[in-house]
Amino acid sequence: MSVEILKFSAEWCMPCKQLATTFEQAKLEIPVKDINIDVDAEMVSKFNIRGVPTLVLMQNEQEVARTSGYKNVSQLKAFIDANI
């Protein structure tokens, strides 16, 4: 089973910067793909991203869950645990 997180963010987005720190602190064993919405319009369109930060949890290349907004470490882990 392949699992990854797509993390949609922007350099100008303060909650995105805070979320990056959360990911560093969480030390997840799941791969995280950072997607800058100002650079990768194709992915933004494909996943219908309306705001940042947005996390899309992928399992076997299929979206299984998504969440938007800042998350602390426990909220991030709870989101992952609830959906894997």
Side-chain angles (χ1 to χ4, degrees):
M1 169 175 67
S2 86
V3 176
E4 75 174 336
I5 295 174
L6 305 180
K7 180 164 60 98
F8 291 87
S9 61
E11 291 181 17
W12 46 263
C13 167
M14 188 54 68
C16 300
K17 293 177 183 180
Q18 295 168 325
L19 187 60
T21 302
T22 298
F23 270 88
E24 289 172 16
Q25 295 169 343
K27 296 180 173 67
L28 301 175
E29 295 182 14
I30 298 171
V32 178
K33 182 176 181 181
D34 287 302
I35 301 164
N36 184 328
I37 64 161
D38 294 326
V39 175
D40 198 341
E42 184 178 328
M43 288 291 282
V44 170
S45 177
K46 178 180 177 181
F47 285 92
N48 198 27
I49 301 302
R50 296 286 176 230
V52 287
T54 296
L55 304 177
V56 179
L57 186 61
M58 303 290 289
Q59 198 166 20
N60 299 320
E61 299 183 17
Q62 298 293 316
E63 179 177 340
V64 293
R66 76 168 53 197
T67 186
S68 295
Y70 171 76
K71 304 284 179 272
N72 63 33
V73 173
S74 61
Q75 291 169 325
L76 176 60
K77 289 183 175 183
F79 165 70
I80 294 167
D81 291 344
N83 293 293
I84 291 185

